[in-house]
Amino acid sequence: MEKILDRPSGKREARKEERREAILAIAKRVFLDQGYSGASMSAISAELGGSKGTLWNYFPSKEELFAAVLDDATREYRGQLADVLKPGEDVRAAVLQFCRGFIAKISSPDGLRLHRLIASEVSRFPEIGDIFYRRAPMPTQQLLAGFLERAMDAGTLRRADPLFAARVLASLCLGVQQRMIWGQELSAAERDHEATQMAEVFLRAFAPA
């Protein structure tokens, strides 16, 4: 009897999750196509169909919706990163894998469009810079810093501020994205070569004395 009573609730939850995923998919496209300023809750609601109240029930503000879109867009990458930066993983291999994965993420079409969105609108809407930083760069840097700190404790890397070291490595990789932002085309092979070079530069800079 208990299981039968649970089924409608489970179906409702599944429908709610499906509705939420549909909202996020539409919102992501609208934000990337129209920018943060051009995207309106009304336009997103209209594409979604149904009443405006449906959207507002899930996300009470555009800021919260934008944050949820970023969380959804980075969830899979965070899982991949946690797998790459496992305790005990070979440092050289992990750093190289981080560079490859991070460059692939930030140089993807959506990664480039999101960067342009943030860069062009953050002066008018400072909140999106904070939302973006807390949901994308900061978690990435923290995960990386934790791995680097363990390597420093083991003597595989020289002792330094692990968060600073994480930012150094991320900044090296961001150079690839910057070149692509300005219109330079880089093939997958060229990006992979850049990742290898970035990893080598970082490992030499933080090699134990």
Side-chain angles (χ1 to χ4, degrees), residues 4 63 72 75 83 89 92 98 114 120-122 126 131 140 142 146-147 160 171 179 185 187 196 198 204:
I4 294 173
E63 290 87 350
D72 188 64
R75 183 180 297 113
D83 191 54
E89 194 73 18
R92 179 173 293 276
F98 169 81
L114 179 60
S120 66
E121 301 200 50
V122 70
I131 291 169
T140 296
Q142 289 174 335
F147 177 81
S171 295
R179 289 164 62 191
E185 295 290 336
S187 68
T196 302
M198 302 304 180
R204 286 200 299 270

Side-chain angles (χ1 to χ4, degrees), residues 73-96:
T74 57
R75 183 180 297 113
E76 183 179 354
Y77 173 70
R78 289 197 302 271
Q80 293 171 351
L81 187 58
D83 191 54
V84 167
L85 302 176
K86 290 183 295 190
E89 194 73 18
D90 177 75
V91 173
R92 179 173 293 276
V95 168
L96 177 56

Side-chain angles (χ1 to χ4, degrees), residues 88-177:
E89 194 73 18
D90 177 75
V91 173
R92 179 173 293 276
V95 168
L96 177 56
Q97 283 300 102
F98 169 81
C99 291
R100 285 173 171 162
F102 187 55
I103 288 174
K105 180 68 175 175
I106 62 178
S107 64
S108 68
D110 281 353
L112 295 172
R113 293 170 74 194
L114 179 60
H115 180 88
R116 292 186 180 105
L117 185 159
I118 300 295
S120 66
E121 301 200 50
V122 70
S123 60
R124 289 180 295 162
F125 304 98
E127 66 272 17
I128 69 170
D130 183 64
I131 291 169
F132 174 72
Y133 178 73
R134 290 180 182 278
R135 281 162 175 80
M138 187 171 77
T140 296
Q141 292 169 8
Q142 289 174 335
L143 273 170
L144 182 56
F147 177 81
L148 297 177
E149 184 171 26
R150 292 191 295 271
M152 292 171 187
D153 290 342
T156 312
L157 296 176
R158 70 172 174 83
R159 177 64 61 187
D161 179 345
L163 188 56
F164 170 76
R167 287 172 177 159
V168 168
L169 184 54
S171 295
L172 286 169
C173 296
L174 282 166
V176 175
Q177 185 197 52

Side-chain angles (χ1 to χ4, degrees), residues 24-45:
L24 293 176
I26 291 170
K28 176 184 176 181
R29 179 167 52 76
V30 172
F31 279 126
L32 291 178
D33 288 349
Q34 302 179 20
Y36 185 79
S37 59
S40 70
M41 296 291 275
S42 296
I44 293 168
S45 178

